[in-house]
Amino acid sequence: MSNKNVNVDRGDLKQNLSEKFVWAIAYGSCIGWGAFILPGDWIGQSGPIAAAIGITIGALLMILIAVSYGALVERFPVSGGAFAFSFLGFGRYVSFFSSWFLTFGYICVVALNATAFSLLIKFLMPNILETGKLYTIAGWDVYITEIIIASVLLLVFMFIAIKGASVSGSLQYYFCVAMVITILLLFFGSFFGHNFALDNLQPLASKSKGWFTSIIMIVAVAPWAYVGFDNIPQTAEEFDFSPNKTFKLIVYSLLASALTYVVMLLFTGWLSTSSKSLNGNLWLTGAETQEAFGYIGLAVLAIAIMMGIFTGLNGFLMSSSRLLFSMGRSGIMPSVFSKLHKKYKTPYIAIIFLVAITLIAPWLGRTALTWIVDMSSTGVSIAYLITCLSAVKLFSYNKNSNTYGPIYKTFAILGSIVAFIFLLLLLIPGSPAALSMPSYIALGGWTILGLIFFIVRYPKLKRMNNDYLSQMILNRTDAEVEDILHEEEKK
């Protein structure tokens, strides 16, 4: 029996993700540690109200991009999301690179959540963690205790991910419920904090930058702040409901995420004490919560952050492993990534590989990781752009076409423009959200690594039969895909 015939078995991922689990994967992935750690930084650079407006505009722009994801999942409910859509629109070579950058974006988020956990423990129990100093990277001291905590956390979530989507999905749902309850407790409790005053929200926007720049600086972080809604399409093969509900779930997750960011910005803003200078506080939200409610408030905030970190780790490990699984299954990446666990039917090799890479992160120290955050935004924005452009190519304004969808096509064009602007904001030096020099260097390094990998795989990629690739990636034969795309020409 030839290898090709064996491989047309696409592997059977279990269909055990309900709507609430899928919503929790998206919402929990969007809201990681950043919603609780970053409000102080955002208020410092933009002012609380300008930051809240910026983050809300960001969510609305993400919804424009999400229309394309929803429309494509409805027609091709397969694992791999953006990888499958970029293959549909632009073929094997473009899909290789767009997925290469997206995988990197996801790995960065997993790594950041793991190190954020040791940062939280460091804030709560500074004396315990500051033992066993190893070295200093870019001004950040690296301790063996931090590395152990982050590594253990990654290994725990690796086992959860291998156990299967139903376990990760239900855990994700309960983590999200706990996170929402703690956020509401903090928000409503803040009205009774002794340092609560609406006057603390002054200045509403940064005086030196003015309203426009203050808002744009926060809008520019939207791809990073909301990365996670695109985890829904990654798991489409495991839905136990109709894929036409995808867009609704993405919108609900984005709106809930925007609300969470705004609530935490207001909470941090109106509890601010008159000294806006942060008083050397590494973490403004934490310091203010402690001042307003003592250690009980801090404990509630710590639970919210832990839930944010756990949902981020869980959601991104799940989606990045499905992305690698889909690429391995098609042969665009080594096929070992498509191996499913005999008992749990999860892509366990992909999960182990991803965790092995992220285990490097805690050794790099926190400063090096902030460079990687900028890069993850770039990787994700590239995938958004390619997905929207694929939808532009797929949908038609022609009434006779099988893919007639004027609304979808219009939104796909708008989404492409938005994603392109996000990329420009990150890549053009001097823009309010331009990458720092180390980020450019790291991005260059990842690109070169991708090129080397591509050159090695190129002879194999070139020989691949298009029909075989279509079946593997889109679960349709090449002829069926051609029919969908070109029916208007036959009429």
Side-chain angles (χ1 to χ4, degrees):
M1 205 173 171
S2 79
N3 191 30
K4 192 170 281 189
N5 288 344
V6 175
N7 268 351
V8 174
D9 167 23
R10 299 179 77 252
D12 51 342
L13 291 161
K14 288 183 176 172
Q15 291 185 315
N16 51 11
L17 284 177
S18 67
E19 285 179 63
K20 67 179 184 183
F21 289 177
V22 170
W23 174 83
I25 288 167
Y27 171 67
S29 302
C30 289
I31 298 298
W33 55 279
F36 310 101
I37 308 280
L38 291 177
D41 299 359
W42 290 349
I43 288 170
Q45 68 184 37
S46 291
I49 301 303
I53 293 169
I55 207 75
T56 307
I57 292 171
L60 298 175
L61 293 175
M62 286 292 137
I63 290 173
L64 284 181
I65 292 171
V67 175
S68 295
Y69 278 90
L72 290 166
V73 170
E74 212 173 305
R75 282 154 185 78
F76 298 96
V78 290
S79 269
F83 163 63
F85 306 147
S86 55
F87 171 76
L88 174 73
F90 299 99
R92 60 192 79 177
Y93 304 129
V94 172
S95 72
F96 172 87
F97 280 105
S98 84
S99 309
W100 179 256
F101 284 107
L102 186 63
T103 307
F104 186 71
Y106 285 172
I107 289 172
C108 293
V109 180
V110 173
L112 277 160
N113 275 306
T115 54
F117 187 70
S118 44
L119 196 72
L120 171 68
I121 305 287
K122 194 173 189 169
F123 182 84
L124 297 174
M125 299 179 282
N127 307 336
I128 295 176
L129 271 202
E130 297 193 350
T131 46
K133 183 179 166 185
L134 298 176
Y135 43 78
T136 303
I137 290 189
W140 185 270
D141 296 339
V142 178
Y143 295 92
I144 188 71
T145 38
E146 285 182 75
I147 293 171
I148 291 168
I149 286 175
S151 304
V152 168
L153 190 68
L154 281 165
L155 292 171
V156 168
F157 276 94
M158 178 180 87
F159 287 111
I160 291 172
I162 291 171
K163 269 288 180 86
S166 60
V167 180
S168 332
S170 49
L171 265 179
Q172 187 83 348
Y173 179 69
Y174 295 120
F175 288 154
C176 283
V177 169
M179 182 161 69
V180 169
I181 290 169
T182 48
I183 291 166
L184 291 174
L185 272 174
L186 288 168
F187 182 69
F188 290 112
S190 70
F191 299 118
F192 305 100
H194 65 81
N195 46 351
F196 167 80
L198 289 177
D199 288 350
N200 289 338
L201 293 174
Q202 299 289 347
L204 304 180
S206 163
K207 282 185 174 145
S208 58
K209 299 188 187 88
W211 278 93
F212 182 73
T213 307
S214 298
I215 291 172
I216 291 296
M217 281 180 80
I218 305 295
V219 171
V221 298
W224 177 83
Y226 294 112
V227 60
F229 80 81
D230 49 322
N231 286 353
I232 290 184
Q234 303 292 358
T235 54
E237 230 164 279
E238 294 158 88
F239 290 175
D240 71 358
F241 56 90
S242 162
N244 63 8
K245 293 181 175 170
T246 306
F247 177 61
K248 177 185 77 175
L249 289 170
I250 291 177
V251 171
Y252 289 163
S253 68
L254 282 170
L255 293 176
S257 305
L259 195 59
T260 306
Y261 279 117
V262 170
V263 160
M264 290 313 297
L265 276 164
L266 293 175
F267 172 85
T268 308
W270 59 44
L271 286 185
S272 274
T273 38
S274 52
S275 51
K276 275 280 195 268
S277 64
L278 302 191
N279 289 342
N281 280 323
L282 176 73
W283 174 33
L284 185 64
T285 308
E288 281 175 9
T289 306
Q290 189 174 348
E291 194 177 319
F293 310 110
Y295 282 102
I296 294 174
L298 202 55
V300 174
L301 182 61
I303 292 169
I305 296 170
M306 277 185 214
M307 294 303 116
I309 291 170
F310 293 170
T311 54
L313 277 172
N314 196 24
F316 282 101
L317 258 183
M318 202 167 158
S319 60
S320 53
S321 61
R322 297 321 185 259
L323 183 62
L324 263 184
F325 164 78
S326 180
M327 293 173 82
R329 175 166 67 183
S330 63
I332 282 181
M333 281 281 193
S335 57
V336 67
F337 291 131
S338 66
K339 281 189 78 164
L340 291 179
H341 194 283
K342 281 191 175 67
K343 182 177 175 189
Y344 302 121
K345 297 288 184 219
T346 48
Y348 70 109
I349 304 273
I351 294 166
I352 292 167
F353 170 76
L354 288 161
V355 171
I357 292 180
T358 49
L359 283 169
I360 302 164
W363 297 84
L364 295 175
R366 192 73 194 168
T367 316
L369 283 168
T370 55
W371 305 331
I372 296 175
V373 168
D374 295 345
M375 290 182 55
S376 71
S377 300
T378 315
V380 172
S381 298
I382 290 168
Y384 291 164
L385 176 62
I386 303 279
T387 300
C388 290
L389 289 172
S390 298
V392 172
K393 280 188 78 170
L394 176 68
F395 292 105
S396 168
Y397 285 134
N398 180 345
K399 279 193 174 159
N400 297 326
S401 161
N402 195 22
T403 57
Y404 174 63
I407 294 171
Y408 284 151
K409 192 172 179 86
T410 306
F411 271 103
I413 293 166
L414 290 172
S416 305
I417 295 166
V418 168
F420 186 63
I421 291 169
F422 278 133
L423 260 181
L424 291 182
L425 281 172
L426 289 161
L427 297 177
I428 293 177
S431 99
L435 298 182
S436 57
M437 202 47 179
S439 298
Y440 278 119
I441 294 165
L443 189 62
W446 185 252
T447 309
I448 291 163
L449 203 60
L451 283 168
I452 294 167
F453 207 96
F454 179 73
I455 292 162
V456 172
R457 303 284 304 168
Y458 181 72
K460 186 168 189 232
L461 279 175
K462 197 176 168 191
R463 286 197 307 273
M464 282 180 162
N465 172 316
N466 219 42
D467 189 51
Y468 168 74
L469 275 176
S470 275
Q471 286 184 57
M472 281 297 158
I473 300 172
L474 300 169
N475 205 14
R476 308 272 176 96
T477 64
D478 198 29
E480 286 173 323
V481 174
E482 282 299 311
D483 269 358
I484 291 172
L485 296 180
H486 302 296
E487 181 141 317
E488 70 263 33
E489 288 167 21
K490 295 193 310 202
K491 288 187 177 183

